[in-house]
Amino acid sequence: MTMKPQKHLFTLSILLPFLLISCERFGESATEPKGELRISFQQSTETLTRSYSEVPDTSDFILTIKRSDGTIVYEGRFGDCPEKLDVAGGTYSIRAVSGKSAKPAFNSPIFGDEQCIKIMAGGTVNVKLLCTQLNAGIKLIVSKNFLTECPDGVLILRSAEGSLMYSYSETRTAYFQPGTVSLILNTGGSDEV
């Protein structure tokens, strides 16, 4: 019976180094230093256009920070995001937008920026977002001659994302995503592009 404890002790002494190596490797990946991410907006008035002369409040922008594997690190108001985020090393996409709607709408410019960055473990990355307009504005001016020739017509602006009816007396700017926008004149049920 004295042999059995020695046999277990021998087995344990063989397995112990493997267990320690496994624990060390596990501990290394678990304690890998984080990277530090800081995000801010550059202060600039270059984003202003003739149709939109007010600087948007970037605190209300929707901020999304996503790892390259699709994991969302943060999604919410830019103003609610911590000043610095501790994140694992890797590649991230950072997107901040003033609105989510891609559908055409009147008086609704969308501003924001998107950047792809790489963070090293233990490093710091300062991201400066530039607030630029992401959609495009269209304003039609209907001449008196057109009103005389097509008094009962209906103007429609159409893109892949949707359409807007543009009345002859409309003064607002219609905003669309970049791409093809068609102007359609509807008279008596028939469309002419």
Side-chain angles (χ1 to χ4, degrees):
M1 288 214 176
T2 57
M3 292 298 260
K4 282 189 179 183
Q6 288 176 345
K7 188 176 181 182
H8 290 297
L9 191 58
F10 177 72
T11 306
L12 184 59
S13 65
I14 290 175
L15 290 176
L16 191 58
F18 292 112
L19 290 172
L20 290 175
I21 290 170
S22 297
C23 289
E24 282 179 25
R25 285 193 182 149
F26 177 76
E28 282 174 9
S29 64
T31 60
E32 183 175 309
K34 299 273 187 183
E36 188 176 287
L37 176 61
R38 295 174 179 261
I39 303 170
S40 61
F41 273 93
Q42 290 183 15
Q43 296 300 317
S44 172
T45 57
E46 294 171 10
T47 60
L48 304 179
T49 64
R50 288 189 314 184
S51 63
Y52 197 80
S53 60
E54 197 175 301
V55 177
D57 183 0
T58 55
S59 295
D60 293 328
F61 279 34
I62 300 157
L63 176 65
T64 305
I65 303 169
K66 191 185 295 187
R67 274 185 69 96
S68 58
D69 65 2
T71 304
I72 293 177
V73 175
Y74 179 84
E75 186 168 40
R77 284 182 69 247
F78 176 75
D80 295 336
C81 183
E83 188 177 318
K84 67 176 187 129
L85 293 164
D86 293 328
V87 295
T91 304
Y92 293 82
S93 70
I94 298 161
R95 184 171 196 259
V97 290
S98 63
K100 281 190 172 183
S101 179
K103 294 193 179 296
F106 288 106
N107 290 345
S108 60
I110 297 176
F111 292 88
D113 191 13
E114 184 167 4
Q115 294 184 24
C116 185
I117 54 108
K118 185 169 186 167
I119 299 176
M120 304 303 287
T124 299
V125 174
N126 292 304
V127 177
K128 293 275 189 189
L129 297 173
L130 183 61
C131 182
T132 57
Q133 188 173 333
L134 303 176
N135 58 1
I138 297 174
K139 192 167 191 174
L140 302 178
I141 299 171
V142 180
S143 71
K144 290 179 183 178
N145 291 344
F146 185 83
L147 287 171
T148 305
E149 289 184 31
C150 305
D152 299 325
V154 176
L155 294 175
I156 300 166
L157 290 169
R158 182 175 294 150
S159 72
E161 290 81 22
S163 331
L164 282 178
M165 188 175 89
Y166 205 101
S167 74
Y168 288 170
S169 60
E170 184 62 69
T171 58
R172 298 174 294 173
T173 302
Y175 286 89
F176 289 82
Q177 293 301 313
T180 303
V181 178
S182 301
L183 173 59
I184 298 159
L185 173 63
N186 180 287
T187 51
S190 65
D191 288 349
E192 184 181 342
V193 179

